Amino acid sequence: MNYSGMKRKEQNTATKKGLFCKNETIRSCIKHYDLLLMVLPGLLLLLVFRYGPIYGLTIAFKDFTMSNGIWGSAWNGLENFKRLFAGNEFGKVFKNTVVISLIKLLFTLPAPIVLALLLNELKALKVKKVVQTCTYIPYFFSWIVLSGIITSVFSVRGPINLLLSLIGIEKPIEFFGNGTMFILMLVITEIWKSCGWNSILYIATISGIDESLYEAAKIDGANRWRQTLSITIPSIIPTIVTVFILNLGGVLNAGFDQIYNLYNPTVYDVSDIIDTYVLRRMEVMDYSLGTAAGLFKSVISLVLVVLSNWFVNSISNNELGLW
Amino acid sequence: MIKSTLGEKIFSFFNTIFLIFVAFVSVYPLLYTLSISLSSAAEAARMGFHLYPREISLSAYKMVFANEELYQAYGNTIARTVLGTAGALIVTSMFAYPMSRSHMPLKRPIMLILIFAMLFDGGIIPLYLLIKNFGLIDNRLVYILPSLISAYNCIILINSFKALPESLMESAKLDGASEMTILFRIIIPLSKPVLATVGLWAAVGHWNTWMDGLLYINSNDKQILQIFLQRIVKQSQLSMESGLTNVDVMSYTSETITSATIMVTILPILLVYPYIQKYFVKGIMLGSVKG
């Protein structure tokens, strides 16, 4: 409150002084040069490594060759984008990205909610702590580590196939052998990695619910199930909506790390996503086409993130958005 | 307290069983890997659940540790983690402190630069060309420099520094302390918990990241642990996906070695995990960009 009031006052004086405004900034810069110097290393790194590549994006509109460099290569307008959309390949890659993302979202969104609700019902605190510790662990390993583990656990002679044979499925399943199975594996392994971790947010929200609500419900004769339906779930709906919308904003990130480390040639057809496509263009040194694809993705992602943030803000009175 | 009904008791019982099952499923793949890594190739070839090794054989670990590349990779990963994390904490704190002060000039434009950097990604090819132009290809600096500053961490620190009472800094200023002294003598000691959280995330990130090793590093002696492991995993995937026909001892030797390499890779994280879990959990709550 105070802060915003101060801000308004500052603006008022700034407009009053009008033309001197610029001078004021310069004077303040000279006075607080030490603060500016402290910001400098970080700012430079940011400009070089985050904004430098934005200059490099110009090669999406150029016929880039290594010998001519970014500056020296000739402009060719939208030629690269025409090439990108001409064949079937990018269309397929785009579709794969969206399909994988949405299927993953469909399952990975509810899983941590269910886990948090069940954990909330657990009375034994020691057990709760152990369950939490165990379910968080996979989140701390890279997809390289996880893919090594997954490959051996799900191999044809691995423990999962052994279990399946014990319950009567004799023919071993090749879990990475066909497209449908592969996408199922993406969902399962994603849940394994991040379900526990993602439940933290919901657990925190649930623990913040006013205890008196439950007390009142008990007096009205509501049992635990009724309390969950009428108090707990409505209380976490804002969090659910936020997570959902922010995930939609990242729909073009189908999970490069996961897919790159798990896929193999037999499933390229369904598992080739924008990021793997860009990497492959890079490997064959078709930099302009790869950059065009990357730019296409970055721009759509930016729009989606801004839109989803705007939407979350507008339904939550500016409370839940990222900024 | 109202006594719980029979239905609630039954639910409670099955809920507990189910959650213990979930916990078991989460860690079982790790137990399996540990158990295979400690088995002989013949034992690993036996179809079974391998919850624990029947007899302990260290042959896989002996082979892993006989490989000189492992030591180099381990050294490179430790170096990047330590230097990268320390560097990131210093650069980020130095960036965040002035941005948290009310009289910082040019605060708005710098903040805009920061936020746009978080939202828009130039993509891997332009970054690759940039790093190539700087001559950083096959140079270990590439592990550290690009990740010294992250917009997300900056915003966390800015918000956390803002919450400290401004009077502290003003009185230090009156005593003649420079801004750098205020940062390192007052702000940083007061912000240990948030710095620990940010630092731990940065450290885990350094330990686990691998794209930079894959894209920018050609020499084996400069390679990091994750890429060393990735090569072994890709190889074993090939031998396993060749299916049922190929169940020779060779491929199970490779499975024990893969498992042992995985264990060696995750050991540091497993060792510190129990002690630092609370910091990580705190971290997820710091994510708000607002303020």
Side-chain angles (χ1 to χ4, degrees):
Chain A
M1 287 300 164
N2 249 339
Y3 178 68
S4 64
M6 260 165 59
K7 212 167 164 188
R8 213 171 303 131
K9 218 186 272 170
E10 268 170 32
Q11 276 168 358
N12 278 341
T13 43
T15 37
K16 253 182 228 160
K17 295 204 175 155
L19 282 172
F20 301 105
C21 182
K22 276 243 159 61
N23 264 335
E24 192 119 320
T25 314
I26 294 169
R27 209 171 308 136
S28 165
C29 286
I30 294 169
K31 187 176 168 211
H32 297 295
Y33 76 96
D34 44 356
L35 289 178
L36 285 171
L37 273 181
M38 284 169 85
V39 169
L40 202 59
L43 192 63
L44 280 179
L45 285 164
L46 208 61
L47 290 176
V48 169
F49 289 107
R50 300 291 307 186
Y51 284 81
I54 292 175
Y55 161 64
L57 280 173
T58 52
I59 69 167
F61 307 97
K62 286 183 169 194
D63 182 16
F64 177 76
T65 55
M66 219 31 136
S67 50
N68 289 333
I70 299 175
W71 184 254
S73 295
W75 295 95
N76 69 354
L78 294 175
E79 209 45 52
N80 296 315
F81 288 91
K82 278 183 196 150
R83 204 150 59 93
L84 187 66
F85 295 113
N88 293 329
E89 201 184 1
F90 189 71
K92 191 188 76 184
V93 162
F94 187 78
K95 195 192 99 196
N96 285 345
T97 309
V98 175
V99 167
I100 290 177
S101 262
L102 291 182
I103 293 179
K104 273 166 77 174
L105 186 58
L106 184 69
F107 292 97
T108 55
L109 186 79
I113 301 171
V114 174
L115 181 63
L117 288 173
L118 293 180
L119 276 170
N120 187 46
E121 297 303 318
L122 205 56
K123 297 291 171 304
L125 288 181
K126 271 227 172 95
V127 181
K128 188 172 174 179
K129 188 126 198 27
V130 170
V131 173
Q132 283 179 294
T133 304
C134 290
T135 49
Y136 300 166
I137 285 185
Y139 190 77
F140 293 90
F141 303 139
S142 69
W143 275 110
I144 294 176
V145 166
L146 296 179
S147 94
I149 296 175
I150 290 161
T151 310
S152 61
V153 171
F154 285 91
S155 74
V156 256
R157 285 173 55 81
I160 301 294
N161 268 312
L162 174 63
L163 189 69
L164 290 175
S165 77
L166 290 180
I167 60 169
I169 301 168
E170 288 297 333
K171 197 176 175 301
I173 294 176
E174 287 186 50
F175 286 97
F176 297 92
N178 70 64
T180 323
M181 207 43 121
F182 182 77
I183 290 181
L184 180 73
M185 290 307 296
L186 291 183
V187 171
I188 293 175
T189 56
E190 181 69 53
I191 290 180
W192 175 44
K193 183 179 194 204
S194 52
C195 175
W197 186 256
N198 290 338
S199 71
I200 295 177
L201 193 60
Y202 299 107
I203 292 171
T205 316
I206 291 173
S207 70
I209 299 173
D210 189 354
E211 198 58 39
S212 65
L213 288 175
Y214 292 105
E215 297 298 331
K218 264 184 217 163
I219 291 166
D220 289 343
N223 59 20
R224 282 303 296 175
W225 176 239
R226 191 70 237 176
Q227 291 170 28
T228 307
L229 277 186
S230 307
I231 301 172
T232 318
I233 292 181
S235 309
I236 57 173
I237 278 180
T239 315
I240 298 173
V241 172
T242 312
V243 172
F244 175 69
I245 292 171
L246 295 179
N247 270 306
L248 274 189
V251 77
L252 293 188
N253 290 317
F256 169 78
D257 281 25
Q258 181 191 25
I259 292 172
Y260 182 81
N261 286 301
L262 285 173
Y263 77 169
N264 63 72
T266 51
V267 294
Y268 276 170
D269 224 25
V270 295
S271 63
D272 201 12
I273 56 170
I274 298 178
D275 294 322
T276 50
Y277 175 85
V278 172
L279 188 66
R280 224 175 30 249
R281 292 270 77 79
M282 189 174 162
E283 279 162 2
V284 298
M285 310 249 262
D286 195 349
Y287 292 119
S288 280
L289 194 62
T291 305
L295 178 61
F296 181 73
K297 182 197 157 188
S298 295
V299 169
I300 295 187
S301 294
L302 176 67
V303 172
L304 285 176
V305 170
V306 171
L307 277 182
S308 56
N309 188 68
W310 169 80
F311 189 73
V312 170
N313 271 334
S314 65
I315 58 169
S316 69
N317 287 325
N318 281 331
E319 262 174 38
L320 293 170
L322 280 180
W323 71 89
Chain B
M1 275 294 284
I2 301 170
K3 271 189 191 161
S4 45
T5 64
L6 182 66
E8 283 172 4
K9 272 184 191 152
I10 294 174
F11 169 79
S12 192
F13 175 76
F14 282 108
N15 186 28
T16 312
I17 302 281
F18 175 73
L19 285 174
I20 290 173
F21 173 73
V22 168
F24 174 74
V25 169
S26 298
V27 292
Y28 169 71
L30 290 182
L31 294 177
Y32 178 84
T33 306
L34 176 64
S35 168
I36 292 290
S37 75
L38 289 168
S39 299
S40 62
E43 166 66 7
R46 181 180 63 85
M47 245 182 129
F49 294 110
H50 295 278
L51 260 177
Y52 56 91
R54 284 195 177 167
E55 58 197 57
I56 291 184
S57 150
L58 291 176
S59 57
Y61 285 96
K62 274 183 194 140
M63 285 177 82
V64 170
F65 284 118
N67 190 342
E68 208 174 299
E69 276 179 35
L70 174 85
Y71 297 98
Q72 287 169 340
Y74 225 98
N76 288 330
T77 294
I78 290 176
R80 77 169 290 173
T81 303
V82 172
L83 296 175
T85 306
L89 283 177
I90 292 172
V91 172
T92 313
S93 304
M94 279 173 60
F95 185 89
Y97 167 65
M99 293 297 287
S100 71
R101 304 301 306 273
S102 52
H103 54 266
M104 168 74 184
L106 302 176
K107 193 151 80 175
R108 273 190 74 80
I110 297 176
M111 202 64 195
L112 283 177
I113 290 176
L114 190 68
I115 288 179
F116 186 73
M118 193 164 67
L119 297 179
F120 190 81
D121 182 12
I124 58 168
I125 294 177
L127 184 60
Y128 173 80
L129 294 175
L130 181 98
I131 280 169
K132 200 178 163 89
N133 284 341
F134 280 149
L136 286 174
I137 296 290
D138 214 25
N139 183 331
R140 286 186 184 89
L141 278 176
V142 85
Y143 290 135
I144 294 172
L145 283 181
S147 57
L148 272 180
I149 192 142
S150 113
Y152 187 71
N153 287 342
C154 285
I155 287 167
I156 289 177
L157 285 193
I158 291 172
N159 285 342
S160 147
F161 291 169
K162 252 187 207 161
L164 298 172
E166 188 121 7
S167 57
L168 264 179
M169 305 155 209
E170 292 307 330
S171 62
K173 195 106 210 232
L174 288 179
D175 290 344
S178 72
E179 298 288 1
M180 278 299 258
T181 315
I182 297 177
L183 172 64
F184 283 97
R185 291 282 169 79
I186 299 174
I187 307 294
I188 288 183
L190 281 176
S191 307
K192 269 182 203 153
V194 68
L195 287 171
T197 308
V198 169
L200 283 168
W201 273 118
V204 171
H206 269 290
W207 194 266
N208 282 339
T209 196
W210 48 275
M211 271 301 266
D212 42 16
L214 185 74
L215 293 180
Y216 313 129
I217 300 295
N218 309 318
S219 328
N220 279 340
D221 62 317
K222 293 172 188 159
Q223 204 43 274
I224 44 174
L225 190 56
Q226 296 286 342
I227 297 292
F228 175 80
L229 175 65
Q230 192 178 43
R231 288 177 185 159
I232 293 173
V233 168
K234 287 268 172 200
Q235 245 168 29
S236 95
Q237 275 172 345
L238 279 181
S239 76
M240 295 221 187
E241 272 145 16
S242 54
L244 289 166
T245 49
N246 191 9
V247 282
D248 51 8
V249 176
M250 267 302 283
S251 63
Y252 283 95
T253 311
S254 97
E255 189 177 6
T256 57
I257 290 176
T258 309
S259 301
T261 315
I262 289 173
M263 292 316 297
V264 170
T265 306
I266 62 177
L267 189 70
I269 293 184
L270 284 180
L271 284 181
V272 294
Y273 174 69
Y275 303 101
I276 59 184
Q277 198 187 343
K278 61 168 181 174
Y279 287 112
F280 286 120
V281 175
K282 231 184 249 162
I284 206 166
M285 301 305 156
L286 290 172
S288 168
V289 175
K290 299 205 159 170

